[in-house]
Amino acid sequence: MANLNQKRPIEDDSSSDSSGEEEDDSQDEEMGEEEQLGENDREIQVEFAGQSPIAEDFHGIKNLLHQLFLKAHVNLSGLTELIIQQSYIGSILQQCIDNDDSDDEEDGNAEDEVFGVTSVINLSHHKDVECVKEVKQYLLEKTQQKLVELFNNPSNHIGLLFNERFINIPPQVSVPLLENLCKEIGEAKEAGKPFDFTHFILICKLHESTRKDQESKKKKAKGSNILWVNAEEEPISEIGEVLGEYSVRNESDSAVSGTWDEDDEQLDPKRRIVLISAAQLPEMLTKIKEFLQ
């Protein structure tokens, strides 16, 4: 069974080890730079930690699943419950707050907020659970039934990967979260739990340019007309088998809300369903690390 105490900080504030003198020297320089930046352009150092999901994380996890499935006919409450019930697998991402520095209610809320979730659900083991039936039906529809044989083969154990986080959190946090997930899957398998997967499915989020001019056509041919919401999912898509891609423009997606001027790049929000084999997990991690270097 996974050792939950080994979940570690994801992103560290390197300035915390500096001496008081060094901090004072650099503070004046930083303030001078910040005066030239707008409020939304400033960089803020935030430390995150991966934690085991608990009942109190229910609404935060459900909100993250909603940004993936949007208006799909899937019981997100049921999926969230499954993620929490298997607390020895997967992590939620939370901000680290130094309780010695501040005890404000605002800081307490930030500490409890769920900024990301990385987990996997065994679609084969939970095949009789209603929310899993809905997910499988959704995947079949969006892949034009390409997953029928995979789902119907009793020797297959298929995991649905969740790799969700707030849009402004850098992709580097995904590396330790995914590494930890792979480690926990291995430990759960050794303990005889139903995590001996043969395949994994990942639903990726991306935006594709809708412009039709000659330059856009060249970009599309090179694949450079795509903006990935989670950058680390691009190499996963490259090594995996793409089974379906579809627009979610008619559904509520705050990441692309608003209006554009005529000359602005217009983006169509999409989902891409990718299949990888369990044997490809080590390669997947290696490709992600190389891509994010």
PDB file of all heavy atoms in Angstrom, residues 64-86:
ATOM      1  N   LEU A  64     -13.075  20.564 -10.439  1.00  0.00           N
ATOM      2  CA  LEU A  64     -12.021  20.275 -11.413  1.00  0.00           C
ATOM      3  C   LEU A  64     -12.496  19.269 -12.456  1.00  0.00           C
ATOM      4  O   LEU A  64     -12.155  19.377 -13.640  1.00  0.00           O
ATOM      5  CB  LEU A  64     -10.775  19.755 -10.697  1.00  0.00           C
ATOM      6  CG  LEU A  64      -9.999  20.806  -9.895  1.00  0.00           C
ATOM      7  CD1 LEU A  64      -9.016  20.148  -8.941  1.00  0.00           C
ATOM      8  CD2 LEU A  64      -9.260  21.763 -10.827  1.00  0.00           C
ATOM      9  N   LEU A  65     -13.289  18.287 -12.043  1.00  0.00           N
ATOM     10  CA  LEU A  65     -13.843  17.328 -13.005  1.00  0.00           C
ATOM     11  C   LEU A  65     -14.824  18.017 -13.943  1.00  0.00           C
ATOM     12  O   LEU A  65     -14.939  17.659 -15.124  1.00  0.00           O
ATOM     13  CB  LEU A  65     -14.539  16.177 -12.269  1.00  0.00           C
ATOM     14  CG  LEU A  65     -13.657  15.288 -11.390  1.00  0.00           C
ATOM     15  CD1 LEU A  65     -14.472  14.111 -10.854  1.00  0.00           C
ATOM     16  CD2 LEU A  65     -12.440  14.782 -12.143  1.00  0.00           C
ATOM     17  N   HIS A  66     -15.530  19.022 -13.417  1.00  0.00           N
ATOM     18  CA  HIS A  66     -16.487  19.741 -14.257  1.00  0.00           C
ATOM     19  C   HIS A  66     -15.788  20.472 -15.400  1.00  0.00           C
ATOM     20  O   HIS A  66     -16.311  20.551 -16.520  1.00  0.00           O
ATOM     21  CB  HIS A  66     -17.299  20.729 -13.423  1.00  0.00           C
ATOM     22  CG  HIS A  66     -18.257  21.537 -14.242  1.00  0.00           C
ATOM     23  ND1 HIS A  66     -17.966  22.800 -14.708  1.00  0.00           N
ATOM     24  CD2 HIS A  66     -19.501  21.250 -14.707  1.00  0.00           C
ATOM     25  CE1 HIS A  66     -18.982  23.267 -15.411  1.00  0.00           C
ATOM     26  NE2 HIS A  66     -19.932  22.345 -15.421  1.00  0.00           N
ATOM     27  N   GLN A  67     -14.607  21.025 -15.153  1.00  0.00           N
ATOM     28  CA  GLN A  67     -13.916  21.732 -16.221  1.00  0.00           C
ATOM     29  C   GLN A  67     -13.438  20.773 -17.313  1.00  0.00           C
ATOM     30  O   GLN A  67     -13.134  21.205 -18.424  1.00  0.00           O
ATOM     31  CB  GLN A  67     -12.741  22.545 -15.666  1.00  0.00           C
ATOM     32  CG  GLN A  67     -11.531  21.753 -15.239  1.00  0.00           C
ATOM     33  CD  GLN A  67     -10.415  22.652 -14.718  1.00  0.00           C
ATOM     34  OE1 GLN A  67     -10.640  23.779 -14.293  1.00  0.00           O
ATOM     35  NE2 GLN A  67      -9.191  22.148 -14.765  1.00  0.00           N
ATOM     36  N   LEU A  68     -13.417  19.489 -17.011  1.00  0.00           N
ATOM     37  CA  LEU A  68     -13.074  18.486 -18.022  1.00  0.00           C
ATOM     38  C   LEU A  68     -14.305  18.022 -18.789  1.00  0.00           C
ATOM     39  O   LEU A  68     -14.325  18.003 -20.017  1.00  0.00           O
ATOM     40  CB  LEU A  68     -12.389  17.286 -17.353  1.00  0.00           C
ATOM     41  CG  LEU A  68     -12.037  16.108 -18.267  1.00  0.00           C
ATOM     42  CD1 LEU A  68     -10.965  16.522 -19.281  1.00  0.00           C
ATOM     43  CD2 LEU A  68     -11.550  14.919 -17.440  1.00  0.00           C
ATOM     44  N   PHE A  69     -15.358  17.648 -18.052  1.00  0.00           N
ATOM     45  CA  PHE A  69     -16.546  17.058 -18.685  1.00  0.00           C
ATOM     46  C   PHE A  69     -17.600  18.094 -19.078  1.00  0.00           C
ATOM     47  O   PHE A  69     -18.485  17.791 -19.896  1.00  0.00           O
ATOM     48  CB  PHE A  69     -17.170  16.028 -17.743  1.00  0.00           C
ATOM     49  CG  PHE A  69     -16.380  14.764 -17.601  1.00  0.00           C
ATOM     50  CD1 PHE A  69     -15.597  14.529 -16.482  1.00  0.00           C
ATOM     51  CD2 PHE A  69     -16.408  13.795 -18.604  1.00  0.00           C
ATOM     52  CE1 PHE A  69     -14.869  13.356 -16.358  1.00  0.00           C
ATOM     53  CE2 PHE A  69     -15.685  12.626 -18.487  1.00  0.00           C
ATOM     54  CZ  PHE A  69     -14.918  12.390 -17.362  1.00  0.00           C
ATOM     55  N   LEU A  70     -17.542  19.285 -18.502  1.00  0.00           N
ATOM     56  CA  LEU A  70     -18.486  20.342 -18.815  1.00  0.00           C
ATOM     57  C   LEU A  70     -19.927  19.849 -18.704  1.00  0.00           C
ATOM     58  O   LEU A  70     -20.344  19.425 -17.646  1.00  0.00           O
ATOM     59  CB  LEU A  70     -18.170  20.911 -20.205  1.00  0.00           C
ATOM     60  CG  LEU A  70     -16.760  21.530 -20.337  1.00  0.00           C
ATOM     61  CD1 LEU A  70     -16.474  21.942 -21.779  1.00  0.00           C
ATOM     62  CD2 LEU A  70     -16.581  22.714 -19.411  1.00  0.00           C
ATOM     63  N   LYS A  71     -20.694  19.871 -19.802  1.00  0.00           N
ATOM     64  CA  LYS A  71     -22.110  19.514 -19.733  1.00  0.00           C
ATOM     65  C   LYS A  71     -22.390  18.054 -20.077  1.00  0.00           C
ATOM     66  O   LYS A  71     -23.535  17.677 -20.323  1.00  0.00           O
ATOM     67  CB  LYS A  71     -22.922  20.417 -20.662  1.00  0.00           C
ATOM     68  CG  LYS A  71     -22.943  21.874 -20.221  1.00  0.00           C
ATOM     69  CD  LYS A  71     -23.806  22.714 -21.146  1.00  0.00           C
ATOM     70  CE  LYS A  71     -23.845  24.173 -20.690  1.00  0.00           C
ATOM     71  NZ  LYS A  71     -24.672  25.003 -21.609  1.00  0.00           N
ATOM     72  N   ALA A  72     -21.374  17.234 -20.093  1.00  0.00           N
ATOM     73  CA  ALA A  72     -21.559  15.813 -20.420  1.00  0.00           C
ATOM     74  C   ALA A  72     -22.466  15.148 -19.392  1.00  0.00           C
ATOM     75  O   ALA A  72     -22.488  15.532 -18.218  1.00  0.00           O
ATOM     76  CB  ALA A  72     -20.206  15.101 -20.450  1.00  0.00           C
ATOM     77  N   HIS A  73     -23.210  14.139 -19.855  1.00  0.00           N
ATOM     78  CA  HIS A  73     -24.125  13.409 -18.962  1.00  0.00           C
ATOM     79  C   HIS A  73     -23.318  12.405 -18.140  1.00  0.00           C
ATOM     80  O   HIS A  73     -23.321  11.200 -18.401  1.00  0.00           O
ATOM     81  CB  HIS A  73     -25.200  12.695 -19.780  1.00  0.00           C
ATOM     82  CG  HIS A  73     -26.185  11.943 -18.933  1.00  0.00           C
ATOM     83  ND1 HIS A  73     -27.024  12.572 -18.033  1.00  0.00           N
ATOM     84  CD2 HIS A  73     -26.452  10.618 -18.828  1.00  0.00           C
ATOM     85  CE1 HIS A  73     -27.769  11.665 -17.422  1.00  0.00           C
ATOM     86  NE2 HIS A  73     -27.436  10.473 -17.881  1.00  0.00           N
ATOM     87  N   VAL A  74     -22.597  12.932 -17.163  1.00  0.00           N
ATOM     88  CA  VAL A  74     -21.763  12.123 -16.281  1.00  0.00           C
ATOM     89  C   VAL A  74     -21.980  12.607 -14.856  1.00  0.00           C
ATOM     90  O   VAL A  74     -21.913  13.807 -14.586  1.00  0.00           O
ATOM     91  CB  VAL A  74     -20.262  12.230 -16.654  1.00  0.00           C
ATOM     92  CG1 VAL A  74     -19.403  11.504 -15.634  1.00  0.00           C
ATOM     93  CG2 VAL A  74     -20.012  11.675 -18.047  1.00  0.00           C
ATOM     94  N   ASN A  75     -22.229  11.679 -13.957  1.00  0.00           N
ATOM     95  CA  ASN A  75     -22.434  12.011 -12.548  1.00  0.00           C
ATOM     96  C   ASN A  75     -21.080  12.323 -11.909  1.00  0.00           C
ATOM     97  O   ASN A  75     -20.360  11.421 -11.474  1.00  0.00           O
ATOM     98  CB  ASN A  75     -23.118  10.851 -11.822  1.00  0.00           C
ATOM     99  CG  ASN A  75     -23.456  11.184 -10.382  1.00  0.00           C
ATOM    100  OD1 ASN A  75     -22.900  12.105  -9.791  1.00  0.00           O
ATOM    101  ND2 ASN A  75     -24.373  10.432  -9.796  1.00  0.00           N
ATOM    102  N   LEU A  76     -20.736  13.596 -11.843  1.00  0.00           N
ATOM    103  CA  LEU A  76     -19.438  14.004 -11.319  1.00  0.00           C
ATOM    104  C   LEU A  76     -19.321  13.765  -9.819  1.00  0.00           C
ATOM    105  O   LEU A  76     -18.232  13.534  -9.308  1.00  0.00           O
ATOM    106  CB  LEU A  76     -19.181  15.480 -11.640  1.00  0.00           C
ATOM    107  CG  LEU A  76     -19.171  15.853 -13.125  1.00  0.00           C
ATOM    108  CD1 LEU A  76     -18.840  17.320 -13.300  1.00  0.00           C
ATOM    109  CD2 LEU A  76     -18.187  14.982 -13.902  1.00  0.00           C
ATOM    110  N   SER A  77     -20.453  13.812  -9.120  1.00  0.00           N
ATOM    111  CA  SER A  77     -20.429  13.521  -7.679  1.00  0.00           C
ATOM    112  C   SER A  77     -19.999  12.078  -7.447  1.00  0.00           C
ATOM    113  O   SER A  77     -19.201  11.782  -6.540  1.00  0.00           O
ATOM    114  CB  SER A  77     -21.805  13.770  -7.054  1.00  0.00           C
ATOM    115  OG  SER A  77     -22.133  15.143  -7.108  1.00  0.00           O
ATOM    116  N   GLY A  78     -20.511  11.173  -8.271  1.00  0.00           N
ATOM    117  CA  GLY A  78     -20.138   9.768  -8.142  1.00  0.00           C
ATOM    118  C   GLY A  78     -18.668   9.534  -8.436  1.00  0.00           C
ATOM    119  O   GLY A  78     -17.984   8.787  -7.711  1.00  0.00           O
ATOM    120  N   LEU A  79     -18.150  10.185  -9.480  1.00  0.00           N
ATOM    121  CA  LEU A  79     -16.730  10.052  -9.809  1.00  0.00           C
ATOM    122  C   LEU A  79     -15.856  10.611  -8.686  1.00  0.00           C
ATOM    123  O   LEU A  79     -14.832  10.022  -8.329  1.00  0.00           O
ATOM    124  CB  LEU A  79     -16.411  10.798 -11.108  1.00  0.00           C
ATOM    125  CG  LEU A  79     -16.810  10.143 -12.429  1.00  0.00           C
ATOM    126  CD1 LEU A  79     -16.370  11.014 -13.596  1.00  0.00           C
ATOM    127  CD2 LEU A  79     -16.223   8.747 -12.552  1.00  0.00           C
ATOM    128  N   THR A  80     -16.281  11.736  -8.138  1.00  0.00           N
ATOM    129  CA  THR A  80     -15.530  12.342  -7.041  1.00  0.00           C
ATOM    130  C   THR A  80     -15.476  11.418  -5.834  1.00  0.00           C
ATOM    131  O   THR A  80     -14.425  11.265  -5.190  1.00  0.00           O
ATOM    132  CB  THR A  80     -16.162  13.686  -6.644  1.00  0.00           C
ATOM    133  OG1 THR A  80     -16.201  14.552  -7.791  1.00  0.00           O
ATOM    134  CG2 THR A  80     -15.364  14.358  -5.537  1.00  0.00           C
ATOM    135  N   GLU A  81     -16.599  10.787  -5.522  1.00  0.00           N
ATOM    136  CA  GLU A  81     -16.644   9.848  -4.396  1.00  0.00           C
ATOM    137  C   GLU A  81     -15.673   8.686  -4.617  1.00  0.00           C
ATOM    138  O   GLU A  81     -14.988   8.249  -3.691  1.00  0.00           O
ATOM    139  CB  GLU A  81     -18.063   9.316  -4.211  1.00  0.00           C
ATOM    140  CG  GLU A  81     -19.057  10.338  -3.685  1.00  0.00           C
ATOM    141  CD  GLU A  81     -18.840  10.678  -2.216  1.00  0.00           C
ATOM    142  OE1 GLU A  81     -17.922  10.108  -1.586  1.00  0.00           O
ATOM    143  OE2 GLU A  81     -19.584  11.526  -1.706  1.00  0.00           O
ATOM    144  N   LEU A  82     -15.602   8.178  -5.843  1.00  0.00           N
ATOM    145  CA  LEU A  82     -14.671   7.076  -6.137  1.00  0.00           C
ATOM    146  C   LEU A  82     -13.225   7.510  -5.912  1.00  0.00           C
ATOM    147  O   LEU A  82     -12.415   6.756  -5.359  1.00  0.00           O
ATOM    148  CB  LEU A  82     -14.852   6.593  -7.572  1.00  0.00           C
ATOM    149  CG  LEU A  82     -16.097   5.753  -7.877  1.00  0.00           C
ATOM    150  CD1 LEU A  82     -16.133   5.381  -9.359  1.00  0.00           C
ATOM    151  CD2 LEU A  82     -16.127   4.487  -7.023  1.00  0.00           C
ATOM    152  N   ILE A  83     -12.885   8.713  -6.351  1.00  0.00           N
ATOM    153  CA  ILE A  83     -11.522   9.223  -6.170  1.00  0.00           C
ATOM    154  C   ILE A  83     -11.178   9.339  -4.694  1.00  0.00           C
ATOM    155  O   ILE A  83     -10.074   8.972  -4.262  1.00  0.00           O
ATOM    156  CB  ILE A  83     -11.376  10.594  -6.875  1.00  0.00           C
ATOM    157  CG1 ILE A  83     -11.414  10.399  -8.394  1.00  0.00           C
ATOM    158  CG2 ILE A  83     -10.081  11.292  -6.455  1.00  0.00           C
ATOM    159  CD1 ILE A  83     -11.445  11.703  -9.175  1.00  0.00           C
ATOM    160  N   ILE A  84     -12.137   9.812  -3.885  1.00  0.00           N
ATOM    161  CA  ILE A  84     -11.890   9.988  -2.451  1.00  0.00           C
ATOM    162  C   ILE A  84     -11.830   8.642  -1.730  1.00  0.00           C
ATOM    163  O   ILE A  84     -10.997   8.430  -0.837  1.00  0.00           O
ATOM    164  CB  ILE A  84     -12.979  10.890  -1.831  1.00  0.00           C
ATOM    165  CG1 ILE A  84     -12.844  12.314  -2.385  1.00  0.00           C
ATOM    166  CG2 ILE A  84     -12.887  10.904  -0.305  1.00  0.00           C
ATOM    167  CD1 ILE A  84     -13.973  13.243  -1.988  1.00  0.00           C
ATOM    168  N   GLN A  85     -12.696   7.704  -2.139  1.00  0.00           N
ATOM    169  CA  GLN A  85     -12.719   6.386  -1.488  1.00  0.00           C
ATOM    170  C   GLN A  85     -11.393   5.657  -1.637  1.00  0.00           C
ATOM    171  O   GLN A  85     -10.961   4.940  -0.723  1.00  0.00           O
ATOM    172  CB  GLN A  85     -13.852   5.543  -2.070  1.00  0.00           C
ATOM    173  CG  GLN A  85     -15.242   5.989  -1.630  1.00  0.00           C
ATOM    174  CD  GLN A  85     -16.347   5.324  -2.439  1.00  0.00           C
ATOM    175  OE1 GLN A  85     -16.102   4.353  -3.175  1.00  0.00           O
ATOM    176  NE2 GLN A  85     -17.564   5.842  -2.320  1.00  0.00           N
ATOM    177  N   GLN A  86     -10.724   5.806  -2.763  1.00  0.00           N
ATOM    178  CA  GLN A  86      -9.424   5.148  -2.972  1.00  0.00           C
ATOM    179  C   GLN A  86      -8.311   6.138  -2.637  1.00  0.00           C
ATOM    180  O   GLN A  86      -7.456   6.454  -3.463  1.00  0.00           O
ATOM    181  CB  GLN A  86      -9.318   4.645  -4.412  1.00  0.00           C
ATOM    182  CG  GLN A  86      -9.567   5.730  -5.455  1.00  0.00           C
ATOM    183  CD  GLN A  86      -9.440   5.219  -6.878  1.00  0.00           C
ATOM    184  OE1 GLN A  86      -9.867   4.110  -7.201  1.00  0.00           O
ATOM    185  NE2 GLN A  86      -8.829   6.018  -7.741  1.00  0.00           N
TER     186      GLN A  86
END
